[in-house]
Amino acid sequence: MPLRRDDVTFLAWHTRPLQQAQAWATAAVLHLRAMSQLILGIESSCDETGVALVQMPADGSVPVLLSHALHSQIEMHRAYGGVVPELASRDHIRRVLPLTQQVLESAGKTLQDVDVVAFTRGPGLAGALLVGAGVACALGAALDRPVLGVHHLEGHLLSPFLSADPPEFPFIALLVSGGHTQLMRVDGVGRYAILGETIDDAAGEAFDKSAKVMGLPYPGGPILSNLAQDGNPEAFALPRPLLHSGDLDFSFAGLKTAVLTQAKKLGDDLEARKADLAASTQAAIVDVLVKKTLNALKQTGMQRVVVAGGVGANQRLRAQLNDACAKRKIRVHYPELHLCTDNGAMIAMAAAMRIQAGQQQPSKTYAFDVKPRWPLDAIVETAHA
Ligand code: KG4
Ligand code: ZN
């Protein structure tokens, strides 16, 4: 039966609110989508070129990693026994754009979809930082998108938010990288209070220098820790510097000297006892890190701890800290194993979280003023400093 004019008017009248509601819902979704931002993150502070894409939801929920790609320069630097800054910069130049293409393709995005370009502003090697910053600013200017310079350590600190089990604020953070060892109270993004730090070498440096003394190749930390699996951690009585100092500071320079003395004493036997020496060195470093972290938890009454930075990949550290914290009903969070060392995902994530928290807005000034030396205190939200 054909519809009469009255029927059409009746239908139109009664379906109008429905259509209107649908239109509003569609507009709201489009608006939300428009507000959600795609962050491209570039890390180039040392010997890894990392690029990643993170989607920052408009509703303030935890940003999501869409894709990331990494090129490690370990093979290139190995022949020199350590990072050669000039070679590092040149290699970043070669890698950064192909890696960018790779993350865009694997996320099904194009450069035009990128809303903000984030890069590591410091600390790190000046030349290496300049590559990431320069490329980020050039992309930003060409696309007419704002850029944001990120503190490398804040990237590490917030990297556990990329894991399947993200932490909640507040927490104690043990930041253990190649250049830094710090215990921090973290109350939110940009709300960091340093409780203790190393007065000389960092934990990663202690691993690397001890490995070198033992004749292990670069990068020392992971190689020493692999070798330690076959050794006896109690074979050599090595010092645990500042273990009972009562404060939350660290000192690892003396440990390296003790390892050197022990290696010399062993002489020709070093080769046969290397695994034992590696295991004993690792045990000394881990004992101090675990004890000081427990002290920080006790002093602050915090119930949650986050471990970040390259040394956070160490299995003995994870096992001992997990054990100690389980006994005290304290939650421990780590970044995913492959995101413990330097990567672009943590830089994109830190940028997204800073924007969401209203700590910093990206800008179109494109001044790539990198900061090779940049204490984390410098970015602490002033109201809480
Ligand atoms: O955070 P990261 O990648 O770079 C910096 O920002 O410094 O940390 C690198 C440090 C190096 O000292 C490296 O030897 C150490 O982390 N590292 C490890 C392990 N994996 C990386 N140390 C001990 N055990 C590991 N499995
Ligand atoms: Zn790092």
Side-chain angles (χ1 to χ4, degrees), residues 98-122:
L99 288 174
T100 303
Q101 201 55 45
Q102 194 178 321
V103 294
L104 286 168
E105 271 165 26
S106 67
K109 304 280 183 190
T110 68
L111 267 182
Q112 291 302 328
D113 296 323
V114 172
D115 296 297
V116 176
V117 187
F119 62 94
T120 305
R121 190 177 174 204

Side-chain angles (χ1 to χ4, degrees), residues 24 43 72 111 113 119 121 136 178 183 187 225 245 311 316 320 343 373 383:
W24 283 336
E43 153 64 29
S72 166
L111 267 182
D113 296 323
F119 62 94
R121 190 177 174 204
L183 273 166
D187 287 297
S225 114
S245 63
V311 182
R316 186 178 174 94
Q320 302 242 319
N343 61 82
R373 286 178 176 276

